[in-house]
Amino acid sequence: MSEAPDIETRSADRQLLDPPGEYIRVSPRLTVVEELGNLGWTLILVAATAVPLILNSTDVWPGYPAWLAWLLPGAFLAYGVIAAIVIPFSVRRRRYSLRDDDFVAARGVIWHRVEVVPYGRIQYVDMTAGPVLRAFGLTRIKIHTAATDTHPEVLGVTAQEGARLRDELALRGEQRQAGL
């Protein structure tokens, strides 16, 4: 079950947000993983904040404000619904590019984040996958640099593409560091 990476070329108007180059999108299966995580957290938060509502309704805790008992679970439910709508767009905006001198990771629907890492700055590359990612054949690639606040990651690549990307980044990082 091999998926070919979805290559996207950026137009001139998008170059303000993203450096030029061919971008490879993550697997669309990440949408299901993210939606499952969102559903789980939404259910947990709504259930936890509904306890005062239940206690108020059964007259066990009659002094608790009814408006607050309804507001908290309703707010978490609304947040979960909005997140469920945004997740597919967010997954489509996750992409990366192996350029000649650097690696670019970009993501974001409302707040765009673009991280550009020169290959010579790469110290090591992690490839991880929890049980849910493994069940969907996906992985996470995390690039470590000497900078404390710059560790770009690519979440949602297939395991085969992740292994290739990890090896390619490690090789390019070694080649560029050797030249320093």
Side-chain angles (χ1 to χ4, degrees):
M1 184 161 122
S2 175
E3 287 182 11
D6 184 11
I7 297 177
E8 163 189 306
T9 304
R10 311 306 294 167
S11 62
D13 62 332
R14 299 300 300 239
Q15 290 181 9
L16 294 174
L17 295 174
D18 298 330
E22 285 189 349
Y23 284 82
I24 301 171
R25 292 185 182 172
V26 300
S27 172
R29 289 183 282 181
L30 181 62
T31 304
V32 178
V33 173
E34 299 252 328
E35 293 285 9
L36 287 173
N38 178 51
L39 177 64
W41 278 111
T42 300
L43 290 175
I44 289 169
L45 292 171
V46 168
T49 56
V51 170
L53 176 64
I54 294 167
L55 294 176
N56 186 297
S57 300
T58 58
D59 288 331
V60 174
W61 193 3
Y64 194 81
W67 66 270
L68 187 58
W70 282 100
L71 177 70
L72 291 177
F76 282 119
L77 183 62
Y79 180 81
V81 168
I82 291 169
I85 293 168
V86 170
I87 284 172
F89 298 105
S90 174
V91 169
R92 276 197 298 265
R93 294 285 299 159
R94 290 178 187 244
R95 59 213 180 282
Y96 63 94
S97 179
L98 290 165
R99 301 191 315 175
D100 291 337
D101 297 322
D102 50 31
F103 174 79
V104 180
R107 65 179 187 266
V109 175
I110 298 170
W111 288 276
H112 298 270
R113 181 176 180 106
V114 178
E115 295 174 299
V116 180
V117 179
Y119 294 124
R121 301 285 183 190
I122 295 174
Q123 291 185 330
Y124 63 97
V125 182
D126 273 342
M127 181 174 156
T128 59
V132 178
L133 282 176
R134 278 196 317 270
F136 285 89
L138 301 175
T139 188
R140 172 190 318 256
I141 301 295
K142 189 170 185 179
I143 299 168
H144 295 271
T145 65
T148 58
D149 60 346
T150 305
H151 300 293
E153 68 177 20
V154 180
L155 173 64
V157 294
T158 62
Q160 182 180 9
E161 174 67 10
R164 185 198 69 76
L165 182 59
R166 178 199 60 211
D167 294 343
E168 182 68 25
L169 286 169
L171 177 66
R172 290 185 184 194
E174 283 179 26
Q175 290 173 343
R176 293 307 194 303
Q177 284 181 349
L180 292 177

